[in-house]
Amino acid sequence: SFFLQMTNAPEPFERFLLAPGEEKLEYEKDTKIKNAGTFRFNREDHTLGNLLATQLLKDPRVLFAGYRVPHPLENHFLLRIQTSDDYTPVDALKDAVKKCTETVTLLTFSLKGSVSSVQGRSDFNI
């Protein structure tokens, strides 16, 4: 209909496809606070932001970790990290990504094992 053609909603692919020359991840070191910085994740949303912030907060060397999506129609989030003196925000993020990857891998194997054991039962139908 005419109304649907006139909306200002972005195209669905704009939420996840990088524009030409656009980087997936950008980092800006804080010039006022020691061992702090802000990462900008382009074409990502709350799903990854919350996952990383939660994982970062489990690390005792991370003093602060939080994310925000500046505007609902903008397809990026900002992740701010502050760490102890012997640890950098970049290292903290690398460790958090590694731990998230390990957790997802473990979950995948566990789920595959559970599905395999249930599929062998006679009362199981998909």
Side-chain angles (χ1 to χ4, degrees):
S1 82
F2 177 74
F3 175 73
L4 292 176
Q5 295 174 359
M6 297 299 294
T7 63
N8 64 350
E11 294 291 333
F13 68 85
E14 290 180 12
R15 290 181 291 191
F16 56 88
L17 286 180
L18 292 171
E22 184 178 29
E23 297 290 328
K24 186 67 167 179
L25 180 62
E26 301 168 22
Y27 176 64
E28 184 178 337
K29 187 174 181 176
D30 194 308
T31 57
K32 297 179 182 176
I33 300 173
K34 187 177 178 183
N35 284 357
T38 302
F39 295 87
R40 177 184 165 124
F41 287 80
N42 291 312
R43 309 299 176 183
E44 293 293 347
D45 60 13
H46 289 283
T47 305
L48 185 60
N50 190 34
L51 180 70
L52 291 174
T54 301
Q55 185 63 51
L56 283 159
L57 291 172
K58 293 178 182 179
D59 188 333
R61 299 170 293 177
V62 173
L63 305 176
F64 175 84
Y67 81 97
R68 68 184 178 96
V69 175
H71 189 277
L73 293 178
E74 294 179 12
N75 299 306
H76 71 272
F77 70 87
L78 304 172
L79 176 66
R80 182 154 179 77
I81 303 172
Q82 182 181 1
T83 59
S84 59
D85 291 341
D86 61 333
Y87 198 45
T88 68
V90 172
D91 289 336
L93 181 61
K94 286 179 182 178
D95 288 347
V97 168
K98 182 179 177 184
K99 287 182 176 152
C100 287
T101 302
E102 290 169 357
T103 301
V104 169
T105 301
L106 181 63
L107 180 62
T108 301
F109 284 127
S110 177
L111 182 61
K112 284 181 180 179
S114 296
V115 169
S116 294
S117 67
V118 172
Q119 283 178 332
R121 294 183 6 202
S122 59
D123 61 338
F124 180 74
N125 291 320
I126 293 183

